[in-house]
Amino acid sequence: MALAVSGGSDSTALMRLAADWARINHPGLKLSVLTVDHALRPEAAAEAACVGQWAAGLGLPHHVLHWTKQPKPATGLQAKARGARYGLMSDWCRGHGATALLTAHTLDDQAETVLMRLARTMSPESLAGIRLNGGWDGLPLLRPLLRAKRQALRGWLAQLGQPWIDDPSNEDTRFERVRARRRLAALGPETAARLAALADRAAAAAALLERTARRWIAFFLHEHEAGICHLARDRFQRLPEALQERILSIVIERYGGGQEAPDGDELQRIARWAATEEGPVRCTLAGALLGRRKSSFWVTREAARIEAVTRIVPHTGKLLWDNRFLVEAAPGAQVTPTASRKLPPIPGVPVYAQRACPWVEQPPEGPPPRSCFLRLNTQG
């Protein structure tokens, strides 16, 4: 298990608390402390070394990870630094057998996140804010301090005589989170707790919406093994808008190859398109291609978005292709997109869907290859 520790008050408290918890409850548990040096400030290296000294005092190994990208991005710096930070830490965890990464997000972080999102969304999934248990590229992310207030953690550290590092970027009003933090302080001491409670309610609503959407899909979505699904427009039109958008999000993520999540505004647009006669007959979103008919609409993969590379079936004889098809063929078989190859028509399957299927070139001595589309109704 690894701890993300920058040296700020929140993450320093996390390190102290986790060390005490492991010592008392799980003496054999191995904890590692990870600090990312983004090379954005000249003091960063010395600060990382300071964290290393604190970790050593707790008997914890410390590792500094470096964001070597040069030059640094001119725009969206915080978001890109965050992505780089989590990428470096998740790679380290996978390479060293760490089963989870603990981060020090607090109730204050949650309130700031919800306040920022209130300015641009009404989606329950978005207003749920930071999740207690999340993930990054398949690695579990755990946030045990999400219900703790920053000031309480600082008071506890002060009692212990444990210093922390204040990052000057936390006062830089060029960043949206800093501006949100100042607005939150001006709104009064109870506002943070109320926004965090709103996140909890939104998370519960989002979970209910997800279960309802998947149940509707199980009953009313018709899927074809060629990688296309059909939804009845009359049934879809009778659903509440929030449920329409959640169903579309699930379906588009599956049929679009799962490479990107559609945002709320785009889902609203597609829901209106599916339920009315407005706009073109076909449209695209997040790697998926959608087509509208009189009584139904269909969703398949946008063939042009599939990477035009040859994949080789490994020694297991199985290959997950485009996150949609499980291809079974002899090891060494080559798998590419069908693209513009001439194929016999399949009743009810547009040529667009056929172009987005895998094409398998099997060694002469191998058994006939087969591919299985990973259906929503059975894969959830």
Side-chain angles (χ1 to χ4, degrees), residues 12-29:
T12 301
L14 172 69
M15 180 171 63
R16 298 279 315 224
L17 288 165
D20 288 347
W21 173 82
R23 176 175 50 80
I24 296 169
N25 298 288
H26 296 277
L29 180 65

Side-chain angles (χ1 to χ4, degrees), residues 287-335:
L289 173 68
L290 300 88
R292 190 173 58 206
R293 293 176 175 171
K294 185 174 181 180
S295 61
S296 67
F297 67 95
W298 49 261
V299 185
T300 190
R301 179 72 155 117
E302 186 182 358
R305 296 288 297 275
I306 301 173
E307 192 175 7
V309 298
T310 299
R311 300 281 305 281
I312 306 299
V313 176
H315 70 279
T316 59
K318 294 182 179 181
L319 172 71
L320 177 62
W321 186 82
D322 195 41
N323 285 325
R324 298 180 302 128
F325 285 89
L326 181 63
V327 176
E328 296 186 11
Q334 298 184 355
V335 186

Side-chain angles (χ1 to χ4, degrees), residues 9-10 13 104-110 112 145 148-157 177 181:
S9 59
D10 302 346
H105 292 91
T106 65
L107 182 144
D108 302 83
D109 294 310
Q110 180 74 293
E112 292 159 11
L145 303 184
K149 291 187 176 182
R150 179 173 297 122
Q151 197 56 45
L153 295 174
R154 290 186 170 188
W156 178 69
L157 290 175
R177 184 168 291 276
R181 187 171 299 152

